[in-house]
Amino acid sequence: MPGPPTFKELFRDCRRTAIHLEARDAYMKSDAAFIDWKAGKSINPAERWGAWHSIVSEAVSRGVEVRRARIVSMPVSEYIRFEYDVTEGLNIAAGEDVRWLARRNATDIALPGNDFWLFDSRLVLVNHFDGEGENMEAELTDAPEVAKLCESAFEAVWKRGTPHVEFQTV
């Protein structure tokens, strides 16, 4: 029996939209890129995450709109400063549009309990993390009520979010 689809397969099969909502203040602190960044080492995002860049840029070249919204506490955590620093060279360079929303401005938005990707308004990839932000597992669902909640939450965050080029981390 085949396993869940890879990001490459999900993006390959995507036709219109791929949206991603992130709502944690830290992820995978054991990630080598984060450790290097903390140590002051220079990071070339397109080189470090070349496979991701290829997956997203290929989808964008086919006309898929890829958007990412991040809900963050202010002032931002060290990990979010890292994400902010690599966003231009990684996400935006690949063709993603990225917005940031201060958590205090999201209080009245009904949000799912987990980060997620939503593909073509119908297929949800739910990301499960442990308390330290380490990736545990992904869950795939095409349940219409889950897709509707995720899309509604994302669009509400997107509407209030600040474009990456305008966002201040302090």
Side-chain angles (χ1 to χ4, degrees):
M1 178 176 263
T6 64
F7 270 112
K8 186 174 186 174
E9 292 166 331
L10 290 165
F11 272 88
R12 180 199 64 211
D13 296 342
C14 186
R15 297 293 169 242
R16 296 181 330 274
T17 59
I19 58 177
H20 184 40
L21 183 65
E22 298 176 4
R24 297 182 57 89
D25 286 320
Y27 296 89
M28 301 168 286
K29 295 183 209 175
S30 62
D31 177 54
F34 177 57
I35 293 167
D36 287 349
W37 176 86
K38 281 180 25 174
K41 294 181 182 176
S42 178
I43 295 177
N44 178 336
E47 182 179 294
R48 179 84 58 137
W49 295 285
W52 179 254
H53 187 274
S54 294
I55 289 168
V56 173
S57 60
E58 190 280 327
V60 169
S61 74
R62 289 187 288 105
V64 175
E65 178 185 34
V66 181
R67 296 183 292 156
R68 178 184 302 255
R70 293 176 169 145
I71 301 170
V72 297
S73 298
M74 298 297 287
V76 300
S77 68
E78 183 178 42
Y79 191 89
I80 296 300
R81 279 197 311 277
F82 159 70
E83 275 194 333
Y84 180 84
D85 285 353
V86 300
T87 293
E88 184 72 36
L90 174 61
N91 309 98
I92 293 172
E96 290 185 48
D97 195 358
V98 178
R99 291 191 182 177
W100 303 80
L101 181 64
R103 189 173 311 284
R104 71 179 312 113
N105 297 327
T107 302
D108 62 342
I109 299 174
L111 296 168
N114 297 292
D115 292 8
F116 63 85
W117 278 95
L118 175 61
F119 297 93
D120 290 333
S121 300
R122 64 167 198 78
L123 186 61
V124 183
L125 179 69
V126 180
N127 303 116
H128 295 285
F129 297 92
D130 70 13
E132 297 298 321
E134 297 296 327
N135 196 7
M136 292 181 57
E137 65 181 287
E139 173 188 356
L140 199 61
T141 180
D142 61 359
E145 65 279 3
V146 175
K148 183 177 178 180
L149 171 64
C150 290
E151 187 164 41
S152 173
F154 179 89
E155 293 303 337
V157 170
W158 188 259
K159 183 177 179 181
R160 292 184 191 178
T162 301
H164 177 74
V165 296
E166 299 171 21
F167 185 71
Q168 302 290 317
T169 60
V170 291

